[in-house]
Amino acid sequence: MTLAKAIVLTGNGTNCEIEAAHACRLAGFDEVKIAHISELLYGEVRLDDFHFLNLTGGFLDGDDLGSAKAQANRLKNARITGTNEHLIDQILRFIKDGKLILGVCNGFQLMVKMGLLPALDGTYLNQSATLTFNDCGRFQDRWVYMKCDAASPSVFTKGISGGIYLPIRHGEGKFLVESQEVLDKIEALHLSVLKYSDSDFSAPTMEFPLNPNGSTNAIAGLCDESGRLMGLMPHPEAFLHRTNHPRWTRESLPEEGDGLILFRNAVEYIRSNLL
Amino acid sequence: MTHRIEINLKKQVRDARGERIRREIEHFLHFPVSSVRTIDVYSIDAQLSTKELEIIAAEPLCDRIIQSSHINSSAASDFDYLVEVGFRPGVTDNIGRTAREAIEYVTGRRLEEGEGVYTSVQYLLKGELKPADVEQITTGLLCNTLIQRYRIVDFASFNAGTSAPLGIPKVTAETRATVNEINLNVSDDELLAISKDGVLALTLEEMKIIQEYFQDSAVAEQRKKLGLSENPTDVELEALAQTWSEHCKHKIFAATIDYCDENGNREEIHSLFKTFIQGATKKVREQLGERDFCLSVFKDNAGVIKFNDEYSLVFKVETHNSPSALDPYGGALTGIVGVNRDPFGTGKGAKLIFNTDVFCFASPFYEKTLPARLLHPRRIYEGVVEGVEHGGNKSGIPTVNGSLVFDDRFAGKPLVFCGTAGFMPATINGEPSHVKTIYPGDLIVMTGGRIGKDGIHGATFSSEELSESSPVSAVQIGDPITQKRMTDFLIIARDRNLYNFITDNGAGGLSSSIGEMATECGGCRLDLAKAPLKYSGLAPWEILISEAQERMSLAVPPAKIEEFLALARKMGVEATVLGDFTDSGYFHISYNDATVAYLPIDFLHEGLPPMQLKGVWEIKKHPEPQPVEKSDYTGELLKLLSSLNICSKESVVRRYDHEVQGGSVLKPFTGVNDDGPSDAAVLRPDLESFEGVVVSHGICPRYSDIDTYHMMANAIDEGIRGYVAVGGSLDLIAGLDNFCWCDPVQSEKTPDGEYKTAQLVRANKALYDYCVDYNVPLISGKDSMKNDFFDGVTKISIPPTVLFSVIGKIDDVRKTVTMDAKRPGDIVYLLGKTAFELGGSEYYALRGFVGNRVPRVDALKSLKRYRAYHEAVQQELVASCHDLSDGGLAVALAETAFAGGFGMEIDLQRVLFSGVACDRTDEVLLFSESASRLLVTVHPENRDMFEKVMTGNCFSSIGTITEETTLTVTGIDGSMILRGALDDLKEAWQSPLREL
C-alpha cells in the first residue's frame, strides 16, 4: 500500500461522518471511506485495508444505556456474518499493526468504554475510566480552550504550541477514573494530552464553563502509551475553516481552523511510518 | 420469568440527574428535599441463563467504573421515600429497545416474539416529607400519568417488603381481526354521536355526505360483489375521518368565506389558500420570470427551491401543539423527528441539514390557577425544550435558529413549531430530484418502525379543542435512532435508484400516506395483515390510522424489490411489502383475503364540499396610555431587557447542538463573549463551497390584538429583516407561513368566530400583499386551527399567531455580518425612519397596555433600503448590523454594545422621524417598534463609501462606538436620558431564564 487511507465508521446514530471525512481529505489522505457498520459486519469492508480509523461523534444507539455503551457491546460481541471472525479481532489487529485511531466525542466515549483508552500497560479491552454526565446536568454546545501537553506521546498533537480551541457538544463528557492509581499513571505518562484551560492555555481549570463538564484534572483528551490511539470530547472536525470560529467576524484568524492539525499529524505519521 | 436488573451509581459518584431533580423540587414545588438519588431498572421478560444474566448486568447495562448492578435484588438504600416511574403499556420505550439489542449481541440469539425489556427509574428521596408531598412531587414533576405509571414506597414498607413492584407494561391483547359495520341510516343526533364518540371530528354535514354516499344503490351493488354490506366499515369511516380532518384537509383554508370589512364592504373569498398563499407565489414567480428559483411548491411534503446548479434546497416547518400540551417531552420530540421526515420525504429524498424551533409558552413563572388537565407552563417549557433537544441532537441535525415567545394565553395550548431543511443533488441518476412518479404495479413498502396503538386519532384529535377527555392514545414518543437508521438506509437506496416514490407517514398514518400516494397513479390495494406490529391486539382500522412514528412509505418497482429489501436487512431496518399501487380508481384495503375498505379515490379526496364561513371585521379600540416624559429611561431599558420576550435564551440554546455537520458560520450567539443574539443563522451545506444558506424568522402575535393584517406584515418584515441583516441575498429568498389560530368557526363554544375568521382573512391579505411586494415566494406552510382549551367552564384561546420563516442564500459566507459592535470609533447608523408606533409593543406591555398604533410596514421603501444595505455588505463596508424588533431602538443599542463589549454614545436628535412633530418624543424614539429598521456600525474609513451606497434611502448616523463600557443616550432636548453600564445591561438581559 502506498496510499494513505482513512476510514470513518458510521451507523446507529453516528452523525459527524461527513465533516470527519472532509477533515481527512483536507489533511491529505489519499482515500477516505465512510463505511456503515453493516458493511464491516457483512465483511464487505475490512479495517485491515485502512491506516486511520475515525470513531466520530453522534449518539450511538441514542446513548440509551449510557453514552456509547451499546456500541461498545456491539463492537466487542458482533461477528462478521458468515464467518467465525469477530469485529473486535479486526480492531485489535489494527492496533497491533501500529495504525491510528481517533475517537471524537461519542467516539472517545466508545474508546474509553471499550477499554481502548487509556489501556495502561497495553491492556486493551480493560475499562479503567469512563465519561459520564456533565456536572451541570445538561447537554452543552460551547467552545473550549485546551492546553496541550507537549510531552505527550500522542502522534496527533505534535507541533501544537500552547493549545487549541474547539467546540464541545455533549451531555456526558465528565472524565472519571477507576482509581487514583490509574489517574497517577495517566498523568505520569503524559497521556492526558489535552486539558480544559483558560484562553491563554496557561493552566488547566475546573471552573465552569471553561471546563464545561467537571472532568477530573480537567482532562479533555487522552491517548494510550503508544500515542497512536487518542480520544477527545471536543470536535476537531468542527473547526476546519476560520468561519467555524465563533468570533471570526471580529478577530483576524488564519484560514485554517485549529482542528485540522490532528488529521494532518495522522497523515504525516502514516506516510513516515506505515507506507 | 421476569428478571430485574437494577443499576445504581456508586456512593462517591455525583448523581447529576438526581441533583437536577432536587433543584427543581426545591425551586418550583418548595419542598425540603435534602437529596435525590436515582436507580435505573431493567425488567427483562425473557428466557436467560444465570450466566447470561450476569454478563448482561455486568457489561452492557452497567458502567462498572461508576455503577453497580443488582440482579433480582434491590439497589435502593438510605432514603425516606422511593418513587418508581415506568411506562404504561404500549408506550415507546427507547432504552428498553436498545437494551434488548444489547442482550441479543451478548447471547448471540434473537429474543423471541413477545419477549422484551422494560425500563423504569427509581428516585430515592430524602427529606422531611409527608406522603401527600411525595404524591405531589411525583405527579407534578417525576411522572406524566398520561404515559407513565408510578409507585411510592416509604422506607419502612420497603424494608418490610410489603410493596409490590410496578410489574411489566406488556401489551397482552389478542389480535382481533374484527371489522365492525356502522349503520348510518340513523337520526342526525345519532350521526353526531357516532362522530363524537369515535373521535372522528366529523361535522353533521360531513356525516351526511358519507351517509348519502353509502345510500347509493349502485355503490351498494358494487360493494356486495366484494362481500361488503351497504354500511361503511369502521375502517372506511376512520379513513374518511382522517382524510377529511381539519389537520389533513385544511378545511378552513379551503373554505368559501363571506368577508365584510369595517366599512361594510363585502367580498367572497374562495379558499384563502388558493387566493392568497398560492396566489402570492404565482404572482411572485411571474415577477421573477427567468430568475424564478421555485422547483416544487405546495405539492410535496416540503417546498423545494434551487440552491445552485448542483443542489436543491428543501424546507418545511410544522407544528405539534396538541400532543405537546398533553406530553410536552414526547409531543415535542415527535414534532421534531416528525418534521424531519417531511424534507426527507420530499422529491426523491433530501439529506437533512438543519432544524429550527420556535416555542410559544405562557410564563414559566405563571402563578394563577390553571384548569384541570393543563400542565403548568414551566413543565411544558422543560418538557418541550428537552424533547426537541433529544430529537434534534440525536438525529445529528444542527438546530440553528429559533425563538421563545411568551404570552399567558399560550397556557391553553403551547405552540411548538419545528422546521427542517434538506439538501439534495439537483439531479439523481440523471433525473430531477424534486420529481417523482408512481406506476401501477409498483409495490407499497413501509419502512422503519412498527405500528402500535400510539398516535391513534392524532389527526382528528388535533382538529378539536383540548379538553379534559382528550385521548391518551393520541400521544407518541419519537425514537430518533430508529429514524436515523432508516434515513441512513434510504439515502443509499435513493442513490441506487431503488424506489420511485417516497413519502412520510405522519398524521393519519397509512390511511393518509398511502391514500395520497394512491392519487398519483389512481388506486391501491393494501393488505393490513402484512403490516408489522409492535404487539398484537390491533384492529384493522387501528393499523390503518396509527401514527406510530419513524415510518416512511415508498413505491418500489417489482424489479428492484429484492435489492431494496436486502439492503434494508443488511442495515438493520425493517421494510415490508404491504400491497401494490393500481389504476383501479379505488382505495382498496383488505385484511388477509377479506376486503375491509373500498372507497373511490375521488370521493376520499374530493368528496368534501367547501366549508362556508363568515368573517366580520371590526376595529377594536384599546385604551391608549398617556405619553410619559422622564428625565431618565435607564430603568425602563433594564426592565425591557429582563422581559421574557426579550431576555437571553442562552440556557436553552446551548442545549441544542448547532454545529454538527461542520458547516456552522453564524451561530445563535456571537460577540466578544459569544453571548450576543444573532439575527439569523448562516451555514455551509456543502463543505467544499463558500455558498451558504441563511435562515431566519418573524413572529409577533402581540400585534394581533390590534390588527392581524399588520401582525402578518410585521412578521414577514421581521423574518426578511433578520435575513438581510446578516447578508442574505434578495435574489434567492423564499418564505414559509405557519398559521396557528384559535377556532374561527362560529358556534356556541366560539361566539366570536366571525371576528376570528375576519382576523384570519386579514392576515392572509397581508401575506399576499407583502410577499408580492417583497418578491418573496411562499414555498410551503401549514396551519393549525384549533388552538383553544375548553373544559366547559374555562376557555383559553391563543392570540392569532403566524410564524414566517425565511430561507435563502448568501453567495459567499465570508461576507456574513454579525450583530456585535466591532471597534471603538465606528459610526453608528440607523437605517429607516422611526414613527409613533408603540401599539402592541413590549414597552406598552410593560406598562400594562396594548394601545392602537401598531407598526406599519412600507414594503417598497424597505425593499429598496434592504437592497442598498445588501450592496454595502457585498462591498464589505458593514462592521455590524442588528435588526430592531421587540423593545425598539433602546434594546438594539444595548444588545449591540454588550455583545461587542464596547460602549456607545447615541444622540436621539439625529434619529429620523416620520409623523407629526409633537409625537417625536424620547419615549417614542427609544421604544417604538417601527418596522424595517437596521442598526449598523461602519468603520470610519468606510463612511463615505457606505453613505454613497445608501444614497436615496432614509438613514442617519446617530452616534459612535466608544472605548467606555457604558451606553449613553442623549435625548431630543440635549440632556442625557439613558446611561447604563454594559455589565448591568447584560446582567438584566441574561438573568431571567439563566437557571432554567
Side-chain angles (χ1 to χ4, degrees):
Chain A
M1 291 196 293
T2 52
L3 299 179
K5 294 182 180 179
I7 181 168
V8 182
L9 192 56
T10 70
N12 299 314
T14 295
N15 49 38
C16 301
E17 62 272 17
I18 304 281
E19 57 268 41
H22 185 63
C24 291
R25 276 191 290 269
L26 283 180
F29 277 91
D30 304 300
E31 201 180 304
V32 182
K33 166 83 182 169
I34 297 178
H36 192 271
I37 176 114
S38 64
E39 295 179 87
L40 268 82
L41 294 177
Y42 271 69
E44 295 168 5
V45 173
R46 296 182 62 80
L47 288 180
D48 306 82
D49 297 330
F50 298 88
H51 307 104
F52 178 32
L53 171 61
N54 285 267
L55 300 169
T56 71
F59 278 84
L60 284 161
D61 303 278
D63 280 355
D64 284 340
L65 310 177
S67 56
K69 284 283 290 173
Q71 176 88 333
N73 182 59
R74 182 184 289 118
L75 295 189
K76 278 182 168 183
N77 291 296
R79 214 185 276 268
I80 310 295
T81 306
T83 72
N84 275 329
E85 190 187 21
H86 282 80
L87 185 54
I88 195 68
D89 302 333
Q90 285 187 29
I91 294 172
L92 291 175
R93 189 159 62 236
F94 194 87
I95 296 169
K96 199 170 122 266
D97 289 349
K99 296 175 174 178
L100 308 187
I101 306 179
L102 181 65
V104 172
C105 194
N106 208 206
F108 180 31
Q109 292 162 340
L110 175 64
M111 290 179 77
V112 167
K113 292 180 186 189
M114 285 180 75
L116 296 180
L117 287 173
L120 297 171
D121 306 316
T123 56
Y124 295 107
L125 304 188
N126 178 28
Q127 184 184 352
S128 62
T130 196
L131 289 150
T132 189
F133 294 97
N134 301 345
D135 275 350
C136 67
R138 300 256 194 238
F139 182 98
Q140 291 285 303
D141 180 335
R142 55 173 75 246
W143 283 60
V144 294
Y145 298 93
M146 286 167 291
K147 180 178 165 62
C148 180
D149 183 351
S152 159
S154 168
V155 306
F156 295 94
T157 53
K158 299 287 173 237
I160 292 177
S161 62
I164 50 174
Y165 184 52
L166 296 174
I168 56 118
R169 310 192 304 252
H170 63 246
E172 299 182 45
K174 181 181 182 178
F175 182 75
L176 291 174
V177 286
E178 186 175 29
S179 64
Q180 186 61 40
E181 197 190 339
V182 169
L183 188 62
D184 290 346
K185 231 169 166 177
I186 286 173
E187 297 292 18
L189 294 165
H190 298 276
L191 305 185
S192 51
V193 51
L194 294 171
K195 291 189 171 183
Y196 300 112
S197 77
D198 55 12
S199 59
D200 301 328
F201 307 116
S202 61
T205 179
M206 294 304 288
E207 187 192 325
F208 182 86
L210 290 171
N211 175 338
N213 47 40
S215 265
T216 306
N217 286 12
I219 293 174
L222 187 71
C223 64
D224 75 340
E225 287 164 63
S226 77
R228 299 190 309 264
L229 272 57
M230 178 175 161
L232 70 164
M233 286 313 299
H235 288 267
E237 80 293 345
F239 186 22
L240 301 176
H241 187 261
R242 69 183 172 90
T243 57
N244 290 137
H245 190 287
R247 295 179 302 281
W248 70 271
T249 60
R250 55 184 298 126
E251 293 178 11
S252 77
L253 299 166
E255 247 347 76
E256 184 178 305
D258 281 8
L260 197 57
I261 191 163
L262 277 71
F263 300 89
R264 280 203 202 288
N265 279 325
V267 78
E268 271 164 36
Y269 178 88
I270 289 162
R271 287 199 202 286
S272 317
N273 296 280
L274 298 175
L275 297 184
Chain B
M1 76 168 271
T2 304
H3 302 284
R4 239 173 115 88
I5 296 178
E6 299 193 1
I7 309 286
N8 65 337
L9 285 166
K10 290 180 179 171
K11 260 222 154 63
Q12 70 279 11
V13 179
R14 188 170 174 176
D15 187 339
R17 173 172 58 176
E19 283 179 23
R20 192 175 120 198
I21 286 165
R22 193 197 63 77
R23 280 198 303 273
E24 286 178 5
I25 293 172
E26 191 178 68
H27 201 226
F28 296 100
L29 300 171
H30 314 294
F31 290 122
V33 176
S34 60
S35 85
V36 179
R37 305 272 297 171
T38 59
I39 294 171
D40 290 307
V41 181
Y42 298 87
S43 300
I44 305 172
D45 179 25
Q47 289 295 328
L48 294 169
S49 70
T50 309
K51 181 140 194 301
E52 284 170 340
L53 215 49
E54 278 167 8
I55 299 173
I56 291 160
E59 278 266 324
L61 300 189
C62 176
D63 182 339
R64 65 174 190 83
I65 307 299
I66 49 172
Q67 296 173 321
S68 320
S69 60
H70 307 255
I71 303 170
N72 293 322
S73 66
S74 292
S77 65
D78 190 24
F79 59 88
D80 293 314
Y81 289 92
L82 179 155
V83 180
E84 182 167 354
V85 178
F87 289 110
R88 287 182 178 278
V91 176
T92 305
D93 183 347
N94 290 328
I95 300 178
R97 183 219 57 221
T98 302
R100 177 192 176 110
E101 282 179 19
I103 290 169
E104 290 174 342
Y105 277 113
V106 168
T107 61
R109 64 171 192 274
R110 290 275 168 147
L111 290 196
E112 302 285 324
E113 198 72 26
E115 292 187 326
V117 182
Y118 306 88
T119 63
S120 52
V121 177
Q122 291 181 349
Y123 301 90
L124 309 182
L125 310 182
K126 273 185 92 164
E128 303 260 319
L129 295 166
K130 292 190 281 295
D133 302 344
V134 181
E135 190 77 30
Q136 201 186 327
I137 290 169
T138 305
T139 55
L141 191 70
L142 304 176
C143 177
N144 182 346
T145 52
L146 257 185
I147 55 162
Q148 291 168 316
R149 311 168 301 157
Y150 64 91
R151 67 169 176 139
I152 299 174
V153 197
D154 62 40
F155 191 63
S157 319
F158 181 82
N159 281 337
T162 50
S163 162
L166 270 181
I168 57 168
K170 187 172 179 173
V171 181
T172 49
E174 294 291 312
T175 297
R176 301 166 296 156
T178 38
V179 172
N180 295 311
E181 287 177 16
I182 293 105
N183 180 9
L184 295 186
N185 292 314
V186 293
S187 71
D188 288 359
D189 285 350
E190 285 169 89
L191 281 180
L192 266 182
I194 292 170
S195 171
K196 185 86 194 162
D197 297 347
V199 200
L200 300 177
L202 292 166
T203 64
L204 180 61
E205 291 70 31
E206 291 160 354
M207 288 299 287
K208 291 184 91 146
I209 292 167
I210 299 173
Q211 182 189 48
E212 196 184 334
Y213 170 79
F214 284 96
Q215 282 168 347
D216 185 334
S217 60
V219 169
E221 191 64 27
Q222 201 170 18
R223 293 173 65 78
K224 214 167 154 188
K225 287 184 206 153
L226 292 157
L228 292 169
S229 81
E230 71 272 22
N231 291 325
T233 65
D234 51 8
V235 182
E236 290 173 318
L237 207 49
E238 289 285 353
L240 285 164
Q242 303 311 308
T243 312
W244 290 6
S245 68
E246 175 56 43
H247 189 101
C248 295
K249 198 79 193 172
H250 311 287
K251 289 182 277 203
I252 292 167
F253 265 78
T256 300
I257 300 176
D258 173 12
Y259 173 70
C260 180
D261 74 10
E262 72 272 25
N263 300 317
N265 301 316
R266 291 173 72 160
E267 66 179 297
E268 192 169 76
I269 298 158
H270 296 279
S271 172
L272 292 168
F273 175 67
K274 285 192 179 140
T275 310
F276 298 115
I277 298 178
Q278 279 189 318
T281 300
K282 184 165 174 280
K283 178 86 178 159
V284 171
R285 293 183 73 176
E286 283 166 18
Q287 289 172 178
L288 286 167
E290 282 183 359
R291 292 180 297 116
D292 179 19
F293 48 81
C294 297
L295 294 174
S296 170
V297 290
F298 305 122
K299 55 182 168 207
D300 210 328
N301 291 309
V304 187
I305 56 174
K306 178 178 168 166
F307 181 70
N308 56 26
D309 289 339
E310 282 171 78
Y311 289 101
S312 302
L313 200 52
V314 187
F315 196 22
K316 176 63 174 272
V317 183
E318 278 271 10
T319 48
H320 222 231
N321 309 334
S322 301
S324 301
L326 296 180
D327 171 20
Y329 176 81
L333 172 57
T334 309
I336 191 72
V337 294
V339 75
N340 288 168
R341 290 193 304 274
D342 279 322
F344 194 81
T346 295
K348 296 269 171 55
K351 174 182 179 272
L352 307 177
I353 55 167
F354 68 76
N355 288 333
T356 62
D357 305 306
V358 174
F359 309 140
C360 300
F361 298 142
S363 165
F365 310 107
Y366 193 89
E367 280 178 347
K368 288 171 269 180
T369 29
L370 285 161
R373 191 64 178 269
L374 285 186
L375 297 174
H376 190 273
R378 150 101 197 166
R379 202 158 163 208
I380 293 183
Y381 178 109
E382 280 292 332
V384 167
V385 167
E386 185 161 271
V388 173
E389 173 191 327
H390 288 175
N393 291 356
K394 291 186 177 183
S395 303
I397 303 164
T399 298
V400 300
N401 186 249
S403 60
L404 277 89
V405 178
F406 294 95
D407 185 303
D408 281 352
R409 286 170 285 181
F410 293 120
K413 235 185 218 185
L415 303 184
V416 177
F417 298 90
C418 296
T420 303
F423 199 59
M424 59 187 179
T427 57
I428 295 172
N429 298 308
E431 312 227 348
S433 58
H434 59 276
V435 179
K436 53 188 170 185
T437 324
I438 299 178
Y439 301 95
D442 282 357
L443 299 168
I444 300 172
V445 178
M446 185 183 100
T447 62
R450 295 186 151 212
I451 295 175
K453 291 204 181 210
D454 37 347
I456 283 180
H457 284 151
T460 51
F461 143 72
S462 64
S463 302
E464 295 183 327
E465 82 280 356
L466 196 59
S467 71
E468 211 168 349
S469 58
S470 296
V472 176
S473 61
V475 175
Q476 317 120 26
I477 295 183
D479 174 4
I481 295 308
T482 296
Q483 180 151 311
K484 176 89 174 140
R485 284 181 181 164
M486 173 177 71
T487 54
D488 284 351
F489 152 64
L490 287 173
I491 285 280
I492 294 176
R494 177 195 77 176
D495 293 341
R496 293 189 189 165
N497 213 11
L498 297 183
Y499 56 80
N500 287 338
F501 197 101
I502 181 168
T503 199
D504 151 46
N505 268 298
L510 287 174
S511 166
S512 292
S513 70
I514 307 300
E516 279 165 30
M517 287 170 87
T519 60
E520 295 283 324
C521 59
C524 70
R525 169 121 198 191
L526 173 78
D527 181 0
L528 293 171
K530 293 204 171 99
L533 306 180
K534 290 182 182 176
Y535 36 77
S536 56
L538 272 73
W541 70 266
E542 292 177 305
I543 299 172
L544 185 66
I545 70 164
S546 162
E547 295 174 13
Q549 293 292 297
E550 293 83 41
R551 293 181 294 145
M552 302 292 289
S553 290
L554 298 102
V556 179
K560 308 252 173 83
I561 190 69
E562 258 178 62
E563 193 182 347
F564 182 91
L565 295 177
L567 183 64
R569 240 187 336 267
K570 193 180 97 179
M571 296 183 72
V573 177
E574 193 153 26
T576 315
V577 178
L578 302 181
D580 50 17
F581 290 99
T582 65
D583 51 9
S584 68
Y586 279 85
F587 184 65
H588 188 169
I589 311 294
S590 62
Y591 191 87
N592 290 322
D593 293 332
T595 293
V596 296
Y598 190 69
L599 293 168
I601 301 277
D602 289 348
F603 180 64
L604 190 60
H605 290 280
E606 309 297 337
L608 198 60
M611 184 189 266
Q612 305 288 325
L613 289 174
K614 195 170 173 199
V616 180
W617 173 243
E618 56 178 309
I619 294 168
K620 296 200 170 168
K621 269 275 167 214
H622 299 276
E624 189 71 32
Q626 286 300 308
V628 171
E629 261 187 71
K630 286 194 162 189
S631 57
D632 187 275
Y633 290 93
T634 314
E636 277 70 21
L637 173 58
L638 288 167
K639 273 189 228 154
L640 271 178
L641 288 168
S642 285
S643 69
L644 285 175
N645 281 326
I646 292 173
C647 74
S648 174
K649 316 297 187 298
E650 189 171 354
S651 61
V652 173
V653 173
R654 294 262 172 233
R655 293 169 64 181
Y656 296 151
D657 186 335
H658 46 258
E659 303 183 74
V660 64
Q661 300 192 10
S664 170
V665 172
L666 176 53
K667 303 179 206 307
F669 286 92
T670 186
V672 65
N673 288 313
D674 313 324
D675 55 9
S678 294
D679 291 335
V682 179
L683 59 112
R684 286 189 296 151
D686 174 6
L687 297 177
E688 308 282 344
S689 159
F690 286 107
E691 288 172 296
V693 177
V694 183
V695 59
S696 70
H697 68 273
I699 185 168
C700 29
R702 220 188 268 294
Y703 298 150
S704 290
D705 291 334
I706 302 173
D707 188 345
T708 49
Y709 183 89
H710 299 295
M711 175 278 289
M712 185 77 242
N714 277 284
I716 295 170
D717 185 65
E718 185 184 10
I720 296 173
R721 194 163 74 222
Y723 169 92
V724 167
V726 304
S729 159
L730 287 156
D731 294 326
L732 204 160
I733 168 174
L736 275 92
D737 58 284
N738 281 79
F739 280 79
C740 283
W741 232 250
C742 32
D743 188 0
V745 180
Q746 184 91 9
S747 71
E748 247 172 66
K749 284 185 292 190
T750 310
D752 54 351
E754 292 183 351
Y755 176 72
K756 288 170 171 169
T757 298
Q759 285 184 303
L760 184 64
V761 170
R762 291 187 63 75
N764 274 279
K765 282 176 174 286
L767 185 61
Y768 180 91
D769 293 348
Y770 284 90
C771 285
V772 166
D773 281 355
Y774 273 127
N775 223 13
V776 173
L778 296 162
I779 57 168
S780 185
K782 201 70 190 274
D783 59 273
S784 164
M785 303 304 293
K786 309 273 171 163
N787 292 293
D788 309 84
F789 172 84
F790 187 57
D791 60 2
V793 184
T794 311
K795 177 156 181 172
I796 309 176
S797 296
I798 64 153
T801 303
V802 179
L803 171 68
F804 189 81
S805 304
V806 173
I807 189 167
K809 186 176 171 183
I810 181 167
D811 291 329
D812 184 345
V813 298
R814 291 167 294 193
K815 291 184 176 170
T816 300
V817 175
T818 56
M819 53 71 65
D820 46 315
K822 297 294 187 301
R823 88 161 86 121
D826 282 0
I827 303 149
V828 181
Y829 289 94
L830 181 58
L831 314 190
K833 281 186 178 173
T834 303
F836 183 4
E837 292 177 321
L838 284 167
S841 66
E842 282 295 322
Y843 176 72
Y844 269 8
L846 208 63
R847 291 183 57 190
F849 286 92
V850 173
N852 303 288
R853 291 166 171 248
V854 64
R856 300 189 174 224
V857 183
D858 183 335
L860 297 178
K861 273 191 187 164
S862 309
L863 182 59
K864 181 163 170 270
R865 187 182 313 136
Y866 292 161
R867 284 202 179 279
Y869 166 79
H870 186 69
E871 180 54 33
V873 172
Q874 288 299 101
Q875 295 185 27
E876 300 183 73
L877 303 173
V878 175
S880 81
C881 179
H882 192 21
D883 90 307
L884 274 66
S885 54
D886 294 358
L889 176 63
V891 166
L893 290 169
E895 289 176 347
T896 300
F898 65 61
F902 295 115
M904 257 189 208
E905 281 172 7
I906 298 298
D907 182 357
L908 291 187
Q909 293 175 78
R910 287 149 65 182
V911 173
L912 299 181
F913 184 74
S914 162
V916 293
C918 62
D919 285 343
R920 190 174 192 275
T921 63
D922 292 335
E923 186 189 30
V924 166
L925 295 176
L926 285 172
F927 304 119
S928 172
E929 296 181 3
S930 295
S932 315
R933 294 177 301 160
L934 296 170
L935 186 71
V936 174
T937 66
V938 172
H939 297 324
E941 64 267 31
N942 292 328
R943 172 205 293 252
D944 294 345
M945 288 288 284
F946 178 77
E947 293 189 356
K948 193 174 155 213
V949 171
M950 291 304 300
T951 306
N953 291 282
C954 300
F955 74 102
S956 63
S957 80
I958 60 167
T960 48
I961 305 292
T962 65
E963 294 268 16
E964 310 295 318
T965 52
T966 47
L967 165 66
T968 60
V969 179
T970 307
I972 42 184
D973 70 355
S975 64
M976 187 179 296
I977 54 156
L978 193 153
R979 184 184 170 84
L982 297 190
D983 285 350
D984 296 341
L985 296 172
K986 195 194 261 192
E987 177 61 23
W989 182 70
Q990 288 186 329
S991 58
L993 294 176
R994 187 188 279 141
E995 303 303 327
L996 256 69

